Amino acid sequence: MSGPSAGPPQAGPHPLGGSTGVPAGRGADIPGPPLWLLAELTYRCPLHCVFCYNPTDFARHEQELSTAEWVDVLRQGRALGAVQCGFSGGEPLLRDDLEELVAEAHRLGYYTNLLTSGVGLTPARAEAFRRAGLDHIQLSFQDSTRELNDFLSHTKTFALKQRVGDMLRDQGWPMVMNVVIHRLNIDHIGRIIEMAHELGAEYLELANTQYYSWAEVNRPHLIPTTEQLQRAEAITNTWREKLAGQMRLFFVAPDYHEGRPKKCMNGWGNVFLTITPDGAALPCHTARMLPGLAFPTVREMDLKTIWYDSDGFNRFRGTGWMQEPCVSCDEKEKDLGGCRCQAYMLAGDATAADPVCSKAPAHGVVRAAVEAADRGDAPAQPIVFRDRASSLRLSCGRGG
Amino acid sequence: MSGPSAGPPQAGPHPLGGSAGVPAGRGADIPKLAHGFRFQWEEAQQAHVLLYPEGMVKLNQSAGEILKRVDGQTPVDEIVASLEAAFHAQGLGPDVEAFLNMAEDKGWITS
């Protein structure tokens, strides 16, 4: 899919573990169950979004799991205690067994979520999903204007996506709308909110871009100025009051500008389990970039062993892996040192403090990116669209 | 991960109904789960949970017992009576109503 899925890197709207509940995941010696199973069914996608969170080397991971393999994953996940199941991608509608997988997930007792660009979602297919027991659809938009939506996705899909939104509203689906926010669309935020309201969304996630994968490649084009962000947040707050009781608005904090790290994935190997199209089990969408960590695939190992016993899932659980300044930080339990992938990308060390943190030794890298945006520095490279040729070029020499 | 809590930020008790500060009774109201919400027992967590788009609330025992009886057909009075019978207790009405008010404010149920 083009937009973020549930859960960071682009944070999802509703963390597991509610206000009257016991916090999800125990944080003690024995991890809790993987409450959230994200099935990234395919990296194929009709869109070519410049901020896509799929790995830039996706073209080297094209051996998709079969229907039977996915059904087995769903069963194992449910037996481990997973309650939320997200079907994502790429564009999950490109799997013609999606209805079958949704039906199986529903039968197993998952709450089922479809995370889609809407491209390929016909009324007949939406009805089939209803019969299969699909609970909820998250629809991603790129912008409130045809011009920018079509530019960012490198397709002519704006009118189509609007029709899909209308159709979902008319069919009475609970709908969350997700829009990735960045320098090119952030000044349209008021109109984006209006559009979501007109399409009948119950919840709008305004996901400030987080710089992973394709968004990292395109960061100089996407990072907004501090002033743009402040203006957008103020506009969002005004609309939040205006639409109280009709549509809930969530403004995902942009960690580059905030100086505080996020508790990425609500803790490494704590509640989220992502299965990639080729079957790798990961604690987040992008963890496969980290060197020296082995993430088994569901073709080699059962999910229970992967979740509880694999090195990949245990390496960054808790706080034992930390170095200074995290070790002696009084906020270490709150943010768990931030994001391991960001530490690796920006500081070259997956055990470093997340450089978005103002206390991190490498924080200057993040400040420099924000300051370049604030000055309006022209990006050195042209914008790169997410497509197979670019993927092969960007991952050249990495093998795979 | 960063994110809002399960309920709206302004969650709080409903305005008091009576002039003497007594909450308006809702004994005849028939509560039901809100659109898109699902309630079920989770063996792995040994708890009832409330599921909604991309989220979950793990319920304590009393919240689970109350919501188990919220089926869109049973009035609050009967829910209270059923709980009092099941737990050999009396005077549960105010606690049940307080919970249902909170659940409604959070958008979990409607009536």
Side-chain angles (χ1 to χ4, degrees):
Chain A
M1 68 180 259
S2 54
S5 80
Q10 321 281 13
H14 314 280
L16 291 166
S19 53
T20 63
V22 176
R26 285 152 220 160
D29 294 328
I30 301 170
L35 296 173
W36 231 118
L37 177 68
L38 184 69
E40 290 187 320
L41 296 178
T42 179
Y43 284 140
R44 290 172 288 139
C45 189
L47 273 51
H48 308 289
C49 299
V50 297
F51 44 73
C52 182
Y53 70 84
N54 284 164
T56 50
D57 65 354
F58 74 84
R60 299 186 187 274
H61 299 281
E62 292 181 329
Q63 299 297 312
E64 292 181 11
L65 296 183
S66 67
T67 306
E69 285 173 315
W70 276 117
V71 166
D72 187 44
V73 165
L74 295 173
R75 288 178 184 164
Q76 291 187 56
R78 186 72 186 122
L80 280 176
V83 287
Q84 288 281 353
C85 177
F87 292 103
S88 175
E91 174 49 67
L93 291 167
L94 290 177
R95 287 281 300 217
D96 57 14
D97 56 359
L98 183 56
E99 287 84 342
E100 188 179 342
L101 296 175
V102 167
E104 178 65 15
H106 177 71
R107 198 188 62 73
L108 290 166
Y110 285 101
Y111 194 95
T112 52
N113 306 273
L114 173 61
L115 296 87
T116 177
S117 70
V119 176
L121 190 52
T122 59
R125 222 167 165 201
E127 272 303 330
F129 289 128
R130 185 188 303 285
R131 284 194 300 276
L134 182 65
D135 289 296
H136 150 250
I137 294 175
Q138 179 186 301
L139 186 64
S140 64
F141 266 77
Q142 281 67 33
D143 189 47
S144 56
T145 69
R146 178 178 59 78
E147 293 75 14
L148 194 53
N149 181 89
D150 292 359
F151 169 72
L152 291 167
S153 63
H154 207 53
T155 57
K156 288 185 166 46
T157 51
F158 183 67
L160 170 65
K161 287 158 78 85
Q162 278 208 311
R163 282 200 300 278
V164 170
D166 286 339
M167 181 266 289
L168 293 176
R169 179 193 55 209
D170 294 346
Q171 288 196 4
W173 285 92
M175 185 177 25
V176 169
M177 188 173 294
N178 175 291
V179 184
V180 177
I181 301 296
H182 43 70
R183 183 156 90 214
L184 304 172
N185 67 1
I186 193 167
D187 294 328
H188 304 165
I189 205 156
R191 181 63 202 123
I192 288 170
I193 295 168
E194 277 185 275
M195 177 185 76
H197 182 49
E198 285 161 14
L199 287 171
E202 291 168 29
Y203 198 105
L204 173 62
E205 181 184 350
L206 297 161
N208 280 289
T209 306
Q210 300 192 49
Y211 301 100
Y212 299 86
S213 306
W214 298 86
E216 193 223 356
V217 171
N218 289 314
R219 188 179 71 190
H221 293 268
L222 298 175
I223 189 165
T225 67
T226 306
E227 192 198 345
Q228 277 183 307
L229 262 173
Q230 288 166 348
R231 202 163 51 225
E233 192 154 17
I235 292 169
T236 304
N237 288 338
T238 304
W239 276 100
R240 188 179 286 124
E241 283 176 32
K242 199 167 157 182
L243 296 176
Q246 299 176 65
M247 183 174 80
R248 290 164 64 189
L249 284 167
F250 181 39
F251 192 79
V252 179
D255 59 0
Y256 267 54
H257 294 75
E258 297 240 315
R260 305 302 329 132
K262 59 184 177 284
K263 188 180 182 183
C264 200
M265 308 315 290
N266 209 14
W268 179 277
N270 186 31
V271 290
F272 283 92
L273 172 59
T274 295
I275 310 294
T276 66
D278 56 333
L282 304 176
C284 77
H285 313 77
T286 54
R288 194 140 59 161
M289 74 165 77
L290 299 175
L293 273 184
F295 291 108
T297 77
V298 296
R299 287 173 168 145
E300 315 167 305
M301 206 180 275
D302 66 87
L303 269 191
K304 187 175 183 183
T305 307
I306 292 174
W307 179 256
Y308 288 106
D309 300 330
S310 70
D311 173 52
F313 276 83
N314 281 321
R315 183 76 67 93
F316 298 116
R317 277 186 170 132
T319 56
W321 54 270
M322 288 179 175
Q323 50 177 291
E324 294 293 355
C326 297
V327 173
S328 53
C329 181
D330 59 8
E331 294 180 87
K332 71 176 173 186
E333 295 288 347
K334 182 179 156 197
D335 55 41
L336 294 174
C339 169
R340 299 304 86 223
C341 299
Q342 201 146 259
Y344 172 66
M345 286 188 296
L346 300 178
D349 178 0
T351 66
D354 185 337
V356 302
C357 178
S358 57
K359 302 174 190 173
H363 185 58
V365 179
V366 170
R367 283 308 310 158
V370 172
E371 283 159 15
D374 286 350
R375 282 193 306 269
D377 291 0
Q381 304 291 331
I383 205 160
V384 180
F385 291 94
R386 175 220 194 268
D387 60 33
R388 202 168 176 281
S390 298
S391 173
L392 291 171
R393 181 170 53 78
L394 288 169
S395 58
C396 182
R398 282 197 214 165
Chain B
M1 62 187 270
S2 55
S5 67
Q10 75 282 18
H14 273 179
L16 299 178
S19 56
V22 177
R26 52 182 301 163
D29 288 357
I30 299 179
K32 66 173 183 186
L33 284 185
H35 186 48
F37 280 67
R38 203 162 81 213
F39 171 81
Q40 66 190 36
W41 172 257
E42 276 303 307
E43 196 63 31
Q45 302 179 61
Q46 288 295 302
H48 283 102
V49 300
L50 204 51
L51 300 170
Y52 53 92
E54 297 171 26
M56 180 194 79
V57 178
K58 183 173 172 178
L59 300 162
N60 63 25
Q61 195 197 348
S62 48
E65 290 296 333
I66 297 169
L67 284 181
K68 205 194 302 188
R69 292 163 170 81
V70 170
D71 58 5
Q73 296 176 10
T74 310
V76 174
D77 280 345
E78 280 182 37
I79 291 174
V80 172
S82 161
L83 287 162
E84 289 177 342
F87 294 95
H88 310 293
Q90 288 189 326
L92 296 182
D95 284 349
V96 173
E97 292 201 12
F99 173 79
L100 291 174
N101 286 339
M102 185 276 295
E104 190 165 345
D105 283 341
K106 286 186 178 296
W108 302 346
I109 61 168
T110 58
S111 59

PDB file of all heavy atoms in Angstrom, chain B residues 36-62:
ATOM      1  N   GLY B  36     -18.684  -1.051  14.831  1.00  0.00           N
ATOM      2  CA  GLY B  36     -17.273  -1.396  14.629  1.00  0.00           C
ATOM      3  C   GLY B  36     -16.589  -1.972  15.854  1.00  0.00           C
ATOM      4  O   GLY B  36     -15.417  -2.312  15.786  1.00  0.00           O
ATOM      5  N   PHE B  37     -17.304  -2.085  16.968  1.00  0.00           N
ATOM      6  CA  PHE B  37     -16.699  -2.642  18.186  1.00  0.00           C
ATOM      7  C   PHE B  37     -17.094  -4.098  18.349  1.00  0.00           C
ATOM      8  O   PHE B  37     -18.197  -4.497  17.984  1.00  0.00           O
ATOM      9  CB  PHE B  37     -17.150  -1.858  19.422  1.00  0.00           C
ATOM     10  CG  PHE B  37     -16.391  -0.574  19.611  1.00  0.00           C
ATOM     11  CD1 PHE B  37     -16.524   0.467  18.708  1.00  0.00           C
ATOM     12  CD2 PHE B  37     -15.522  -0.406  20.683  1.00  0.00           C
ATOM     13  CE1 PHE B  37     -15.815   1.644  18.866  1.00  0.00           C
ATOM     14  CE2 PHE B  37     -14.813   0.771  20.859  1.00  0.00           C
ATOM     15  CZ  PHE B  37     -14.958   1.796  19.953  1.00  0.00           C
ATOM     16  N   ARG B  38     -16.177  -4.881  18.886  1.00  0.00           N
ATOM     17  CA  ARG B  38     -16.475  -6.282  19.166  1.00  0.00           C
ATOM     18  C   ARG B  38     -15.952  -6.656  20.547  1.00  0.00           C
ATOM     19  O   ARG B  38     -14.881  -6.226  20.952  1.00  0.00           O
ATOM     20  CB  ARG B  38     -15.861  -7.191  18.104  1.00  0.00           C
ATOM     21  CG  ARG B  38     -16.559  -8.525  18.008  1.00  0.00           C
ATOM     22  CD  ARG B  38     -16.254  -9.222  16.709  1.00  0.00           C
ATOM     23  NE  ARG B  38     -14.976  -9.888  16.770  1.00  0.00           N
ATOM     24  CZ  ARG B  38     -14.168 -10.030  15.730  1.00  0.00           C
ATOM     25  NH1 ARG B  38     -14.495  -9.550  14.553  1.00  0.00           N
ATOM     26  NH2 ARG B  38     -13.024 -10.663  15.853  1.00  0.00           N
ATOM     27  N   PHE B  39     -16.738  -7.468  21.252  1.00  0.00           N
ATOM     28  CA  PHE B  39     -16.423  -7.872  22.614  1.00  0.00           C
ATOM     29  C   PHE B  39     -16.197  -9.374  22.601  1.00  0.00           C
ATOM     30  O   PHE B  39     -17.003 -10.112  22.055  1.00  0.00           O
ATOM     31  CB  PHE B  39     -17.632  -7.515  23.490  1.00  0.00           C
ATOM     32  CG  PHE B  39     -17.574  -8.054  24.892  1.00  0.00           C
ATOM     33  CD1 PHE B  39     -16.842  -7.413  25.873  1.00  0.00           C
ATOM     34  CD2 PHE B  39     -18.291  -9.193  25.243  1.00  0.00           C
ATOM     35  CE1 PHE B  39     -16.812  -7.896  27.169  1.00  0.00           C
ATOM     36  CE2 PHE B  39     -18.260  -9.682  26.538  1.00  0.00           C
ATOM     37  CZ  PHE B  39     -17.508  -9.034  27.502  1.00  0.00           C
ATOM     38  N   GLN B  40     -15.083  -9.831  23.155  1.00  0.00           N
ATOM     39  CA  GLN B  40     -14.887 -11.284  23.199  1.00  0.00           C
ATOM     40  C   GLN B  40     -13.923 -11.685  24.316  1.00  0.00           C
ATOM     41  O   GLN B  40     -13.175 -10.878  24.847  1.00  0.00           O
ATOM     42  CB  GLN B  40     -14.390 -11.815  21.844  1.00  0.00           C
ATOM     43  CG  GLN B  40     -13.004 -11.348  21.425  1.00  0.00           C
ATOM     44  CD  GLN B  40     -12.690 -11.725  19.963  1.00  0.00           C
ATOM     45  OE1 GLN B  40     -13.559 -11.700  19.096  1.00  0.00           O
ATOM     46  NE2 GLN B  40     -11.436 -12.074  19.700  1.00  0.00           N
ATOM     47  N   TRP B  41     -13.991 -12.955  24.665  1.00  0.00           N
ATOM     48  CA  TRP B  41     -13.083 -13.531  25.654  1.00  0.00           C
ATOM     49  C   TRP B  41     -11.784 -13.913  24.961  1.00  0.00           C
ATOM     50  O   TRP B  41     -11.801 -14.498  23.876  1.00  0.00           O
ATOM     51  CB  TRP B  41     -13.723 -14.770  26.293  1.00  0.00           C
ATOM     52  CG  TRP B  41     -12.762 -15.527  27.185  1.00  0.00           C
ATOM     53  CD1 TRP B  41     -12.110 -16.685  26.899  1.00  0.00           C
ATOM     54  CD2 TRP B  41     -12.347 -15.153  28.506  1.00  0.00           C
ATOM     55  NE1 TRP B  41     -11.305 -17.052  27.956  1.00  0.00           N
ATOM     56  CE2 TRP B  41     -11.434 -16.131  28.960  1.00  0.00           C
ATOM     57  CE3 TRP B  41     -12.653 -14.073  29.356  1.00  0.00           C
ATOM     58  CZ2 TRP B  41     -10.826 -16.071  30.220  1.00  0.00           C
ATOM     59  CZ3 TRP B  41     -12.049 -14.021  30.607  1.00  0.00           C
ATOM     60  CH2 TRP B  41     -11.150 -15.017  31.026  1.00  0.00           C
ATOM     61  N   GLU B  42     -10.658 -13.548  25.568  1.00  0.00           N
ATOM     62  CA  GLU B  42      -9.358 -13.916  25.023  1.00  0.00           C
ATOM     63  C   GLU B  42      -8.659 -14.878  25.965  1.00  0.00           C
ATOM     64  O   GLU B  42      -8.232 -14.497  27.063  1.00  0.00           O
ATOM     65  CB  GLU B  42      -8.498 -12.664  24.811  1.00  0.00           C
ATOM     66  CG  GLU B  42      -8.768 -11.961  23.507  1.00  0.00           C
ATOM     67  CD  GLU B  42      -8.585 -12.866  22.306  1.00  0.00           C
ATOM     68  OE1 GLU B  42      -7.522 -13.483  22.170  1.00  0.00           O
ATOM     69  OE2 GLU B  42      -9.532 -12.973  21.493  1.00  0.00           O
ATOM     70  N   GLU B  43      -8.546 -16.100  25.489  1.00  0.00           N
ATOM     71  CA  GLU B  43      -7.928 -17.142  26.307  1.00  0.00           C
ATOM     72  C   GLU B  43      -6.482 -16.769  26.698  1.00  0.00           C
ATOM     73  O   GLU B  43      -6.073 -16.922  27.851  1.00  0.00           O
ATOM     74  CB  GLU B  43      -7.949 -18.456  25.499  1.00  0.00           C
ATOM     75  CG  GLU B  43      -7.696 -19.705  26.313  1.00  0.00           C
ATOM     76  CD  GLU B  43      -8.761 -19.958  27.381  1.00  0.00           C
ATOM     77  OE1 GLU B  43      -9.940 -19.591  27.169  1.00  0.00           O
ATOM     78  OE2 GLU B  43      -8.385 -20.498  28.434  1.00  0.00           O
ATOM     79  N   ALA B  44      -5.729 -16.253  25.725  1.00  0.00           N
ATOM     80  CA  ALA B  44      -4.303 -15.969  25.986  1.00  0.00           C
ATOM     81  C   ALA B  44      -4.122 -14.886  27.045  1.00  0.00           C
ATOM     82  O   ALA B  44      -3.110 -14.844  27.722  1.00  0.00           O
ATOM     83  CB  ALA B  44      -3.605 -15.553  24.694  1.00  0.00           C
ATOM     84  N   GLN B  45      -5.105 -14.000  27.143  1.00  0.00           N
ATOM     85  CA  GLN B  45      -4.986 -12.922  28.130  1.00  0.00           C
ATOM     86  C   GLN B  45      -5.809 -13.196  29.374  1.00  0.00           C
ATOM     87  O   GLN B  45      -5.750 -12.423  30.338  1.00  0.00           O
ATOM     88  CB  GLN B  45      -5.437 -11.598  27.508  1.00  0.00           C
ATOM     89  CG  GLN B  45      -4.635 -11.224  26.276  1.00  0.00           C
ATOM     90  CD  GLN B  45      -5.108  -9.922  25.671  1.00  0.00           C
ATOM     91  OE1 GLN B  45      -5.070  -8.882  26.295  1.00  0.00           O
ATOM     92  NE2 GLN B  45      -5.582  -9.978  24.434  1.00  0.00           N
ATOM     93  N   GLN B  46      -6.597 -14.269  29.358  1.00  0.00           N
ATOM     94  CA  GLN B  46      -7.496 -14.585  30.462  1.00  0.00           C
ATOM     95  C   GLN B  46      -8.329 -13.358  30.838  1.00  0.00           C
ATOM     96  O   GLN B  46      -8.434 -12.980  32.010  1.00  0.00           O
ATOM     97  CB  GLN B  46      -6.707 -15.107  31.669  1.00  0.00           C
ATOM     98  CG  GLN B  46      -6.164 -16.518  31.455  1.00  0.00           C
ATOM     99  CD  GLN B  46      -7.281 -17.555  31.312  1.00  0.00           C
ATOM    100  OE1 GLN B  46      -8.120 -17.715  32.197  1.00  0.00           O
ATOM    101  NE2 GLN B  46      -7.322 -18.247  30.182  1.00  0.00           N
ATOM    102  N   ALA B  47      -8.884 -12.738  29.817  1.00  0.00           N
ATOM    103  CA  ALA B  47      -9.668 -11.517  30.044  1.00  0.00           C
ATOM    104  C   ALA B  47     -10.619 -11.306  28.877  1.00  0.00           C
ATOM    105  O   ALA B  47     -10.385 -11.794  27.769  1.00  0.00           O
ATOM    106  CB  ALA B  47      -8.744 -10.313  30.166  1.00  0.00           C
ATOM    107  N   HIS B  48     -11.693 -10.556  29.171  1.00  0.00           N
ATOM    108  CA  HIS B  48     -12.514 -10.058  28.081  1.00  0.00           C
ATOM    109  C   HIS B  48     -11.820  -8.849  27.475  1.00  0.00           C
ATOM    110  O   HIS B  48     -11.159  -8.082  28.181  1.00  0.00           O
ATOM    111  CB  HIS B  48     -13.897  -9.646  28.595  1.00  0.00           C
ATOM    112  CG  HIS B  48     -14.803 -10.814  28.856  1.00  0.00           C
ATOM    113  ND1 HIS B  48     -15.046 -11.298  30.120  1.00  0.00           N
ATOM    114  CD2 HIS B  48     -15.512 -11.600  28.005  1.00  0.00           C
ATOM    115  CE1 HIS B  48     -15.879 -12.329  30.040  1.00  0.00           C
ATOM    116  NE2 HIS B  48     -16.174 -12.541  28.772  1.00  0.00           N
ATOM    117  N   VAL B  49     -11.959  -8.694  26.179  1.00  0.00           N
ATOM    118  CA  VAL B  49     -11.383  -7.525  25.505  1.00  0.00           C
ATOM    119  C   VAL B  49     -12.447  -6.884  24.629  1.00  0.00           C
ATOM    120  O   VAL B  49     -13.429  -7.524  24.236  1.00  0.00           O
ATOM    121  CB  VAL B  49     -10.163  -7.896  24.625  1.00  0.00           C
ATOM    122  CG1 VAL B  49      -9.054  -8.518  25.460  1.00  0.00           C
ATOM    123  CG2 VAL B  49     -10.571  -8.809  23.475  1.00  0.00           C
ATOM    124  N   LEU B  50     -12.219  -5.628  24.348  1.00  0.00           N
ATOM    125  CA  LEU B  50     -13.051  -4.891  23.414  1.00  0.00           C
ATOM    126  C   LEU B  50     -12.148  -4.557  22.235  1.00  0.00           C
ATOM    127  O   LEU B  50     -11.093  -3.947  22.406  1.00  0.00           O
ATOM    128  CB  LEU B  50     -13.537  -3.618  24.105  1.00  0.00           C
ATOM    129  CG  LEU B  50     -14.798  -2.934  23.629  1.00  0.00           C
ATOM    130  CD1 LEU B  50     -15.956  -3.906  23.527  1.00  0.00           C
ATOM    131  CD2 LEU B  50     -15.136  -1.805  24.594  1.00  0.00           C
ATOM    132  N   LEU B  51     -12.568  -4.996  21.052  1.00  0.00           N
ATOM    133  CA  LEU B  51     -11.761  -4.765  19.853  1.00  0.00           C
ATOM    134  C   LEU B  51     -12.445  -3.724  18.981  1.00  0.00           C
ATOM    135  O   LEU B  51     -13.667  -3.698  18.878  1.00  0.00           O
ATOM    136  CB  LEU B  51     -11.595  -6.065  19.074  1.00  0.00           C
ATOM    137  CG  LEU B  51     -10.901  -7.198  19.840  1.00  0.00           C
ATOM    138  CD1 LEU B  51     -10.997  -8.503  19.064  1.00  0.00           C
ATOM    139  CD2 LEU B  51      -9.454  -6.829  20.103  1.00  0.00           C
ATOM    140  N   TYR B  52     -11.630  -2.892  18.381  1.00  0.00           N
ATOM    141  CA  TYR B  52     -12.140  -1.865  17.471  1.00  0.00           C
ATOM    142  C   TYR B  52     -11.044  -1.604  16.452  1.00  0.00           C
ATOM    143  O   TYR B  52      -9.962  -2.175  16.558  1.00  0.00           O
ATOM    144  CB  TYR B  52     -12.535  -0.610  18.262  1.00  0.00           C
ATOM    145  CG  TYR B  52     -11.460  -0.068  19.160  1.00  0.00           C
ATOM    146  CD1 TYR B  52     -10.575   0.905  18.713  1.00  0.00           C
ATOM    147  CD2 TYR B  52     -11.323  -0.553  20.455  1.00  0.00           C
ATOM    148  CE1 TYR B  52      -9.577   1.397  19.541  1.00  0.00           C
ATOM    149  CE2 TYR B  52     -10.327  -0.067  21.294  1.00  0.00           C
ATOM    150  CZ  TYR B  52      -9.455   0.906  20.836  1.00  0.00           C
ATOM    151  OH  TYR B  52      -8.459   1.389  21.644  1.00  0.00           O
ATOM    152  N   PRO B  53     -11.314  -0.780  15.426  1.00  0.00           N
ATOM    153  CA  PRO B  53     -10.322  -0.639  14.367  1.00  0.00           C
ATOM    154  C   PRO B  53      -8.904  -0.397  14.905  1.00  0.00           C
ATOM    155  O   PRO B  53      -8.628   0.623  15.515  1.00  0.00           O
ATOM    156  CB  PRO B  53     -10.836   0.554  13.567  1.00  0.00           C
ATOM    157  CG  PRO B  53     -12.316   0.438  13.701  1.00  0.00           C
ATOM    158  CD  PRO B  53     -12.535  -0.031  15.119  1.00  0.00           C
ATOM    159  N   GLU B  54      -8.050  -1.372  14.714  1.00  0.00           N
ATOM    160  CA  GLU B  54      -6.637  -1.304  15.032  1.00  0.00           C
ATOM    161  C   GLU B  54      -6.340  -1.152  16.512  1.00  0.00           C
ATOM    162  O   GLU B  54      -5.244  -0.769  16.898  1.00  0.00           O
ATOM    163  CB  GLU B  54      -5.959  -0.171  14.242  1.00  0.00           C
ATOM    164  CG  GLU B  54      -6.034  -0.424  12.750  1.00  0.00           C
ATOM    165  CD  GLU B  54      -5.578   0.765  11.921  1.00  0.00           C
ATOM    166  OE1 GLU B  54      -4.783   1.561  12.420  1.00  0.00           O
ATOM    167  OE2 GLU B  54      -6.018   0.884  10.775  1.00  0.00           O
ATOM    168  N   GLY B  55      -7.297  -1.432  17.368  1.00  0.00           N
ATOM    169  CA  GLY B  55      -7.035  -1.268  18.798  1.00  0.00           C
ATOM    170  C   GLY B  55      -7.738  -2.292  19.658  1.00  0.00           C
ATOM    171  O   GLY B  55      -8.547  -3.098  19.171  1.00  0.00           O
ATOM    172  N   MET B  56      -7.398  -2.268  20.925  1.00  0.00           N
ATOM    173  CA  MET B  56      -7.961  -3.218  21.865  1.00  0.00           C
ATOM    174  C   MET B  56      -7.949  -2.615  23.258  1.00  0.00           C
ATOM    175  O   MET B  56      -7.008  -1.931  23.633  1.00  0.00           O
ATOM    176  CB  MET B  56      -7.128  -4.495  21.896  1.00  0.00           C
ATOM    177  CG  MET B  56      -7.634  -5.541  22.856  1.00  0.00           C
ATOM    178  SD  MET B  56      -6.403  -6.835  23.146  1.00  0.00           S
ATOM    179  CE  MET B  56      -5.336  -5.992  24.309  1.00  0.00           C
ATOM    180  N   VAL B  57      -8.997  -2.859  24.010  1.00  0.00           N
ATOM    181  CA  VAL B  57      -8.999  -2.539  25.429  1.00  0.00           C
ATOM    182  C   VAL B  57      -9.140  -3.849  26.173  1.00  0.00           C
ATOM    183  O   VAL B  57     -10.059  -4.631  25.913  1.00  0.00           O
ATOM    184  CB  VAL B  57     -10.175  -1.614  25.800  1.00  0.00           C
ATOM    185  CG1 VAL B  57     -10.163  -1.333  27.301  1.00  0.00           C
ATOM    186  CG2 VAL B  57     -10.095  -0.313  25.030  1.00  0.00           C
ATOM    187  N   LYS B  58      -8.193  -4.097  27.055  1.00  0.00           N
ATOM    188  CA  LYS B  58      -8.308  -5.287  27.907  1.00  0.00           C
ATOM    189  C   LYS B  58      -9.126  -4.889  29.127  1.00  0.00           C
ATOM    190  O   LYS B  58      -8.825  -3.899  29.792  1.00  0.00           O
ATOM    191  CB  LYS B  58      -6.905  -5.741  28.319  1.00  0.00           C
ATOM    192  CG  LYS B  58      -6.884  -7.004  29.151  1.00  0.00           C
ATOM    193  CD  LYS B  58      -5.436  -7.449  29.364  1.00  0.00           C
ATOM    194  CE  LYS B  58      -5.354  -8.597  30.347  1.00  0.00           C
ATOM    195  NZ  LYS B  58      -3.944  -9.033  30.494  1.00  0.00           N
ATOM    196  N   LEU B  59     -10.169  -5.649  29.405  1.00  0.00           N
ATOM    197  CA  LEU B  59     -11.119  -5.255  30.446  1.00  0.00           C
ATOM    198  C   LEU B  59     -10.844  -5.984  31.750  1.00  0.00           C
ATOM    199  O   LEU B  59     -10.470  -7.166  31.744  1.00  0.00           O
ATOM    200  CB  LEU B  59     -12.546  -5.571  29.972  1.00  0.00           C
ATOM    201  CG  LEU B  59     -12.951  -4.846  28.682  1.00  0.00           C
ATOM    202  CD1 LEU B  59     -14.155  -5.531  28.050  1.00  0.00           C
ATOM    203  CD2 LEU B  59     -13.256  -3.373  28.948  1.00  0.00           C
ATOM    204  N   ASN B  60     -11.078  -5.288  32.844  1.00  0.00           N
ATOM    205  CA  ASN B  60     -10.999  -5.987  34.120  1.00  0.00           C
ATOM    206  C   ASN B  60     -12.273  -6.821  34.299  1.00  0.00           C
ATOM    207  O   ASN B  60     -13.196  -6.750  33.489  1.00  0.00           O
ATOM    208  CB  ASN B  60     -10.741  -5.015  35.281  1.00  0.00           C
ATOM    209  CG  ASN B  60     -11.885  -4.027  35.460  1.00  0.00           C
ATOM    210  OD1 ASN B  60     -13.022  -4.305  35.086  1.00  0.00           O
ATOM    211  ND2 ASN B  60     -11.567  -2.878  36.018  1.00  0.00           N
ATOM    212  N   GLN B  61     -12.319  -7.591  35.379  1.00  0.00           N
ATOM    213  CA  GLN B  61     -13.405  -8.569  35.487  1.00  0.00           C
ATOM    214  C   GLN B  61     -14.780  -7.901  35.542  1.00  0.00           C
ATOM    215  O   GLN B  61     -15.714  -8.330  34.866  1.00  0.00           O
ATOM    216  CB  GLN B  61     -13.196  -9.453  36.707  1.00  0.00           C
ATOM    217  CG  GLN B  61     -14.074 -10.689  36.646  1.00  0.00           C
ATOM    218  CD  GLN B  61     -14.222 -11.382  37.992  1.00  0.00           C
ATOM    219  OE1 GLN B  61     -13.505 -11.068  38.935  1.00  0.00           O
ATOM    220  NE2 GLN B  61     -15.137 -12.322  38.078  1.00  0.00           N
ATOM    221  N   SER B  62     -14.898  -6.836  36.331  1.00  0.00           N
ATOM    222  CA  SER B  62     -16.235  -6.248  36.450  1.00  0.00           C
ATOM    223  C   SER B  62     -16.664  -5.598  35.138  1.00  0.00           C
ATOM    224  O   SER B  62     -17.825  -5.719  34.727  1.00  0.00           O
ATOM    225  CB  SER B  62     -16.293  -5.262  37.620  1.00  0.00           C
ATOM    226  OG  SER B  62     -15.207  -4.382  37.594  1.00  0.00           O
TER     227      SER B  62
END
